[in-house]
Amino acid sequence: MTVVSPRRTGALRRSPLADRAAELAAGGGRDVRLAEEPFLTQVNLRVHPGSPAVARVEHALDLALPHHEPNLVSGDETAAALWLGPDEWLLVGPDGRAPHLVAALGEALADSLGSTVDVSANRTTLRLSGRMSREVLEKLCSLDLHPRAFTPGHCAQTLVGRAQVVLWQLGPEPEYRLLVRNSYANYLASVLLDAMAEFTGR
């Protein structure tokens, strides 16, 4: 996808899979679908979970930071905090939200140890959905993705094929987001399309 950047008038941004949008759409079917969701806001947040700054951060976000149990997500696909580690979260939202988030979090962390970094340009996102999408992922990922172990509102840093991704289950269909470094996006799209072929009749 190519869009005009909201940050610089007239500037064009091109997503890593812009040239493959039609291929991704054609590679899916009724039981499994794949599409790119480019340009999502992604902000990395580091703060000690016991710090008094956490309450200010949560107030600024209007969102609780999941920190009582690993690999959880709070919020929804329009505004979410993904647990990446004991003192690390990835904040995900719509395109163009990063400057606001970084400024608000900077104020919340003003007198505390912590950091906030806009990493939106680091990754693109693939959305895999449909009733056979878990079976597709199970061909490529060693995580236990059965509903007894991985459900909507869970995330994990893992390998899908040979690409490191942040895997996030959105819904029970099931439906997933795979956040992947731009340099691995084409590889990941290819291995997912190949794994989907069994279920799409290609």
Side-chain angles (χ1 to χ4, degrees):
M1 178 184 290
T2 304
V3 301
V4 177
S5 172
R7 299 174 193 162
R8 293 182 295 157
T9 302
L12 294 179
R13 293 178 297 166
R14 190 169 181 81
S15 69
L17 298 172
D19 293 334
R20 301 187 68 178
E23 180 189 1
L24 298 184
R30 183 181 62 183
D31 294 331
V32 62
R33 301 170 297 279
L34 184 64
E36 185 186 20
E37 290 185 297
F39 312 129
L40 293 181
T41 287
Q42 298 176 56
V43 172
N44 184 269
L45 170 67
R46 302 293 298 262
V47 62
H48 191 280
S51 166
V54 169
R56 297 195 299 272
V57 165
E58 292 178 331
H59 178 74
L61 297 174
D62 194 23
L63 190 67
L65 295 178
H67 56 83
H68 298 297
E69 183 180 342
N71 299 322
L72 289 183
V73 179
S74 63
D76 56 30
E77 62 181 276
T78 62
L82 285 66
W83 188 100
L84 299 185
D87 65 348
E88 183 177 10
W89 294 266
L90 182 67
L91 309 175
V92 180
D95 185 21
R97 290 281 295 160
H100 168 77
L101 281 179
V102 169
L105 292 170
E107 290 185 17
L109 294 170
D111 60 353
S112 303
L113 291 176
S115 67
T116 178
V117 180
D118 179 3
V119 294
S120 305
N122 190 37
R123 302 184 190 94
T124 191
T125 303
L126 283 162
R127 191 182 190 109
L128 182 69
S129 58
R131 69 182 188 91
M132 302 307 294
S133 55
R134 176 163 62 91
E135 283 78 357
V136 170
L137 281 178
E138 287 174 336
K139 293 182 176 185
L140 302 166
C141 179
S142 62
L143 284 182
D144 182 0
L145 298 175
H146 191 277
R148 67 175 171 259
F150 202 83
T151 59
H154 278 82
C155 65
Q157 298 182 83
T158 187
L159 291 176
V160 175
R162 296 184 179 181
Q164 186 173 5
V165 307
V166 178
L167 178 65
W168 169 13
Q169 185 169 347
L170 294 171
E173 185 183 26
E175 190 168 19
Y176 304 92
R177 272 178 171 164
L178 294 89
L179 289 76
V180 62
R181 290 183 184 274
N182 292 337
S183 56
Y184 282 94
N186 269 294
Y187 162 78
L188 182 62
S190 294
V191 297
L192 286 169
L193 285 171
D194 185 62
M196 289 164 55
E198 174 186 352
F199 307 109
T200 59
R202 290 190 294 116

